[in-house]
């Protein structure tokens, strides 16, 4: 069920969510003390650590809301929210499994065949199978309806794919891509017709993954090129021609989570410690402004989690969270930079200087991934009947 309103019911209080939150905090404190990871900014895309993902799977913190028959744990969206929020706040290395757990698994539950679910979902829940998003293209950007990657049937009933995807985070370390392709010619009357989704094994012949490095030299973005890649016919996800509807449903999961406003939280936390120690009025005022915005964003994101728990599809509020949340992430950098006299450097001995540098160097991606702000505002306006 879709939602074209920005009015959502408050998220219910959950004792179970607070119980699992305490468990995650205890686990993270132990992992930090053992040196198994160090806190960084933006780790839900840049922090790939398969061993850490497997630890989460062993504790039942992946696939939390899924049916037990597929390796899930049948817990609530609020419990899952508490887990993801704590992992993000700690700057933990969760990028390996993030996309698979956040949206690929729910997409498979909604549209996948029984064979697809049985084969893939238990591996995701165990922290052993990783997915990427195959949507944006070199000449399409946020205008997904204009994609040119094509899939045609061959004589054996399999799909032959040609084209390219871009900004494909962690394709070089992942197993599958849910790939949006054009399976029939574009209809001038409906640009959204003729699109389908395929489950693409990224180890297949004909797939080339080219790195796109960000400003600090890090590598999580990629271009993925498909040259006569043969995809088994039974790896169609959902219905042929229903790709646009399926992508829209998937984006509600992609755009609404706490990662859309917590990418720079480790910077806020380090700044908060500095402001509390120094009691500088300008720093405390900045911390107050950032905290107020963060709390408001969290409430909206929690309401969306509650809506997903009720089986709703809050695509318009999700677009709003992504727009306002990623704008906040970039604003955090500017707000902090104005009131601290700390050089931003990845080599700084000061943890605030390191966090500030990481946040600055990752900032160009905040408002790009998941749809640019201009596109998102158009989605919200159309959903509210304003255009």
């Amino acid at each position: 069920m879709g939602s074209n309103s920005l009015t959502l019911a408050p998220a219910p209080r959950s004792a179970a969510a607070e119980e699992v939150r305490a468990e995650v905090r205890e686990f993270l404190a132990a992992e930090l003390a053992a040196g198994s990871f160090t806190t960084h900014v933006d780790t839900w895309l840049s922090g790939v650590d398969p061993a850490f993902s497997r630890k989460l799977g062993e504790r039942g913190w992946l696939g939390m809301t899924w049916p037990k028959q597929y390796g899930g744990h049948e817990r609530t969206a609020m419990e899952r929210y508490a887990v993801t929020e704590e992992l993000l706040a700690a700057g933990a290395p969760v990028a390996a499994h993030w996309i698979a757990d956040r949206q690929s698994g729910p997409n498979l539950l909604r549209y996948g065949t029984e064979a697809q679910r049985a084969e893939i979902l238990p591996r995701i829940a165990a922290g052993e199978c990783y997915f990427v998003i195959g949507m944006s293209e070199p000449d399409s950007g946020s205008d997904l309806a204009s994609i040119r990657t094509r899939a045609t049937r061959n004589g054996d009933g399999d799909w032959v794919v040609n084209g390219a995807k871009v900004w494909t985070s962690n394709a070089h370390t992942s197993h599958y891509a849910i790939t949006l392709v054009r399976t029939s010619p574009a209809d001038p009357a409906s640009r959204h017709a003729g699109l389908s989704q395929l489950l693409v094994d990224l180890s297949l012949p004909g797939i080339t993954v080219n790195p796109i490095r960000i400003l600090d030299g890090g590598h999580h973005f990629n271009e993925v090129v498909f040259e006569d890649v043969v995809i088994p016919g039974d790896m169609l996800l959902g219905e042929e021609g229903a790709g646009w509807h399926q992508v829209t449903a998937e984006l509600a999961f992609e755009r609404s989570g706490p990662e859309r406003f917590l990418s720079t939280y480790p910077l806020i936390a380090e700044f908060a410690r500095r402001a509390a120690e120094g009691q500088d009025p300008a720093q405390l005022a900045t911390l107050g402004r950032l905290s107020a915005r963060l709390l408001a964003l969290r409430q909206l994101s929690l309401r969306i989690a509650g809506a997903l728990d009720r089986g709703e599809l809050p695509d318009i509020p999700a677009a709003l969270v992504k727009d306002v949340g990623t704008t906040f992430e970039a604003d955090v950098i500017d707000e902090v930079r104005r009131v601290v006299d700390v050089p931003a450097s990845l080599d700084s001995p000061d943890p605030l200087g390191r966090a500030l540098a990481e946040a600055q160097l990752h900032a160009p991606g905040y408002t790009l991934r998941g749809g640019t702000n201009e596109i998102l505002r158009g989605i919200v306006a159309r959903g509210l009947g304003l255009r």
Side-chain angles (χ1 to χ4, degrees):
M1 181 172 63
S3 172
N4 62 359
S5 171
L6 297 182
T7 302
L8 293 173
R13 293 187 178 275
S14 170
E18 293 313 305
E19 183 178 337
V20 74
R21 183 187 302 279
E23 293 171 5
V24 176
R25 285 183 178 177
E26 183 179 355
F27 163 77
L28 290 170
E31 292 293 308
L32 281 167
S36 69
F37 76 92
T38 55
T39 297
H40 291 283
V41 166
D42 205 29
T43 51
W44 68 273
L45 275 184
S46 60
V48 175
D49 185 342
F52 189 85
S53 294
R54 287 193 293 271
K55 288 180 183 179
L56 298 181
E58 290 167 1
R59 285 161 175 78
W61 294 339
L62 301 180
M64 290 181 68
T65 64
W66 307 350
K68 291 181 180 179
Q69 71 183 95
Y70 301 122
H73 305 280
E74 297 181 7
R75 302 180 78 165
T76 67
M78 304 310 296
E79 290 172 90
R80 181 183 180 275
Y81 193 98
V83 171
T84 58
E85 190 173 44
E86 292 301 320
L87 292 169
L88 292 165
V94 294
H97 69 266
W98 195 263
I99 303 300
D101 180 61
R102 179 185 70 184
Q103 68 194 83
S104 306
N107 219 24
L108 280 164
L109 280 170
R110 186 183 292 261
Y111 301 112
T113 65
E114 183 57 33
Q116 291 167 353
R117 293 172 187 154
E119 166 65 22
I120 296 173
L121 289 175
R123 292 163 55 203
I124 295 176
E128 297 174 349
C129 182
Y130 315 135
F131 271 68
V132 300
I133 303 166
M135 294 187 193
S136 295
E137 298 192 0
D139 298 317
S140 293
S142 294
D143 181 16
L144 288 179
S146 68
I147 66 163
R148 291 190 287 187
T149 297
R150 295 188 175 276
T152 56
R153 292 274 195 183
N154 64 14
D156 297 322
D158 296 328
W159 298 98
V160 181
V161 178
N162 284 279
K165 297 294 177 178
V166 76
W167 312 123
T168 315
S169 293
N170 299 316
H172 58 301
T173 61
S174 296
H175 304 98
Y176 289 95
I178 294 183
T179 307
L180 185 67
V181 296
R182 183 161 290 285
T183 49
S184 60
D187 181 353
S190 175
R191 299 173 68 239
H192 301 156
L195 300 174
S196 305
Q197 287 184 306
L198 296 177
L199 279 169
V200 178
D201 181 341
L202 291 171
S203 68
L204 289 172
I207 296 177
T208 303
V209 178
N210 300 315
I212 301 173
R213 298 197 177 273
I214 60 176
L215 290 174
D216 66 357
H219 172 204
H220 66 80
F221 282 139
N222 295 280
E223 177 191 48
V224 180
V225 180
F226 304 90
E227 296 180 279
D228 293 326
V229 180
V230 179
I231 312 296
D234 60 0
M235 294 304 272
L236 175 71
L237 180 63
E239 297 180 20
E240 182 176 348
W244 185 261
H245 171 74
Q246 294 174 199
V247 160
T248 300
E250 182 179 347
L251 288 173
F253 290 94
E254 178 179 351
R255 290 171 171 164
S256 63
E259 69 271 25
R260 293 306 181 184
F261 54 89
L262 290 180
S263 296
T264 51
Y265 184 81
L267 171 59
I268 296 176
E270 197 58 51
F271 171 64
R273 283 188 280 271
R274 188 66 50 90
E277 291 169 1
Q279 291 294 301
D280 178 82
Q283 292 182 2
L284 291 172
T286 296
L287 181 59
R289 285 194 300 272
L290 293 176
S291 298
R293 292 175 66 184
L294 178 60
L295 288 170
L297 278 163
R298 182 175 184 269
Q299 284 302 309
L300 180 54
S301 182
L302 277 168
R303 289 184 179 214
I304 293 174
L308 291 171
D309 232 5
R310 296 189 297 271
E312 299 173 17
L313 185 61
D315 46 345
I316 305 305
L320 181 64
V321 167
K322 200 278 179 185
D323 175 13
V324 181
T326 55
T327 298
F328 168 75
E329 290 180 327
D331 288 348
V332 166
I333 302 167
D334 293 334
E335 290 266 19
V336 171
R337 193 167 48 191
R338 288 192 189 103
V339 294
V340 298
D341 186 20
V342 177
S345 171
L346 296 176
D347 300 320
S348 174
D350 187 331
L352 180 58
R354 292 196 300 273
L356 188 56
E358 287 180 351
Q360 284 181 290
L361 293 170
H362 285 244
Y366 298 155
T367 57
L368 169 68
R369 57 205 187 197
T372 64
N373 286 9
E374 293 77 12
I375 291 292
L376 293 169
R377 290 166 192 169
I379 291 170
V380 173
R382 186 177 299 111
L384 296 177
L386 302 177
R387 56 175 291 188

